[in-house]
Amino acid sequence: MVHRMQAERTRHTTPVAAARRRRLRADRARQLADLLRHQILGGRFPDGALPHEEVIGADYGATRNTVRQALGLLRAEQLVERQPGVGTVVVCQKFPHGLDRLMGLAETLLPHGRVTNEVRTISPVTAPVPVADRLRIPPRSEVLYIERLRRLDGAPLSLDLTYLPMHLGPALLDADLENNDVFRLIEEAAGQPLGTAEITLEAVNADAHSAAVLEAPRGTAVLMLERLTHLADGTPVDLEFIRFRGDRITMRGLLHRTV
């Protein structure tokens, strides 16, 4: 009887215990992948090659299976790949975009290459009600709408949809939008510097149009940055919806705690 009870308990608990072990291993793999990703994005492997699996396991106190599972997660992100005779190498470079300074993309990425803009659309349009509200202009007012594909050294990086009050329109219609940040052009047209911006950042699935323009798989996740920028006197002048390729950009900032 005792043996039967023990066997019964073993029969019922073994699948649960096995599932728990798999879950714990998956948790450890995700934790290791997070640590390795941080090292990769921070330039910890300048030659592009990650250490051998045994070295990673020793450095991070992980089993070989956990290391392999973690590297598999990074391969799924297309951040690394395994090359025969070489090992695991970094294949996708991400560029830092700061969230604690108000800068244009070309200013932000100046150390990493040249940003160029493909102006896909620029024209006056009737402002949708939410746009008019955000820009504090009368309903049904005209705004200047600009759609740009932004590239870093030729590689698609972001798709920017921009709404500007029409009093800035004439200056921007004649400006070199292909080689300049809109921020700098706004400051020149307004005769004063920009001051502050309200931002919202979230992950969204790329629609068919955005995916095609960004040369990304349809439905892939992109980083959506919504930004309302104000002049130094507080006037809102620039409402943007920016879709970044998540595999090419990483958001960074320095936050200060206040209570």
Side-chain angles (χ1 to χ4, degrees):
M1 176 65 72
V2 173
H3 291 302
R4 282 202 304 272
M5 292 176 61
Q6 290 175 339
E8 187 71 15
R9 283 198 299 269
T10 300
R11 186 170 64 85
H12 286 294
T13 58
T14 296
V16 174
R20 182 172 182 273
R21 286 195 298 271
R22 287 194 297 271
R23 185 173 66 250
L24 290 175
R25 186 165 59 247
D27 290 343
R28 287 193 291 268
R30 282 192 295 271
Q31 293 164 6
L32 177 55
D34 289 342
L35 294 172
L36 289 171
R37 186 186 304 105
H38 177 77
Q39 296 289 306
I40 291 169
L41 299 181
R44 175 66 176 79
F45 311 112
D47 62 351
L50 272 64
H52 293 298
E53 294 175 357
E54 294 84 355
V55 176
I56 294 175
D59 288 346
Y60 292 90
T63 66
R64 190 165 187 174
N65 283 339
T66 298
V67 172
R68 288 180 172 176
Q69 192 169 351
L71 294 177
L73 294 173
L74 297 178
R75 283 196 299 274
E77 297 176 20
Q78 299 182 345
L79 189 59
V80 302
E81 69 178 24
R82 185 167 181 81
Q83 296 182 354
V86 178
T88 301
V89 298
V90 178
V91 293
C92 179
Q93 184 179 7
K94 287 194 175 187
F95 303 97
H97 187 293
L99 291 177
D100 48 7
R101 296 184 65 190
L102 184 55
M103 301 175 67
L105 190 65
E107 296 172 317
T108 299
L109 299 180
L110 182 61
H112 303 285
R114 180 169 178 263
V115 172
T116 55
N117 310 307
E118 177 188 326
V119 181
R120 299 176 56 81
T121 302
I122 177 168
S123 66
V125 299
T126 300
V129 173
V131 172
D133 289 345
R134 299 291 299 279
L135 291 175
R136 298 184 205 158
I137 58 178
R140 309 295 298 174
S141 296
E142 278 197 335
V143 292
L144 184 65
Y145 172 74
I146 307 172
E147 179 179 317
R148 295 167 297 158
L149 171 62
R150 316 199 69 183
R151 300 176 182 270
L152 179 63
D153 291 338
L157 190 64
S158 72
L159 178 63
D160 297 15
L161 314 182
T162 304
Y163 297 90
L164 303 163
M166 271 309 296
H167 70 271
L168 298 173
L172 270 73
L173 281 169
D174 296 331
D176 180 10
L177 287 168
E178 292 187 358
N179 298 293
N180 288 285
D181 280 332
V182 165
F183 277 0
R184 188 176 70 81
L185 300 174
I186 290 174
E187 290 178 324
E188 291 178 356
Q192 64 172 298
L194 297 172
T196 60
E198 306 163 27
I199 63 172
T200 301
L201 181 66
E202 60 181 323
V204 300
N205 290 331
D207 59 275
H209 169 72
S210 300
V213 172
L214 290 170
E215 300 176 18
R218 184 173 179 175
T220 191
V222 296
L223 292 175
M224 163 72 86
L225 178 67
E226 178 184 330
R227 180 170 62 198
L228 177 63
T229 304
H230 305 255
L231 292 172
D233 65 7
T235 304
V237 291
D238 180 9
L239 177 60
E240 294 178 282
F241 299 89
I242 306 172
R243 291 167 172 82
F244 288 102
R245 280 194 52 154
D247 60 343
R248 293 180 180 167
I249 204 81
T250 181
M251 299 293 179
R252 293 182 179 175
L254 176 64
L255 305 180
H256 298 273
R257 178 172 170 80
T258 58
V259 293

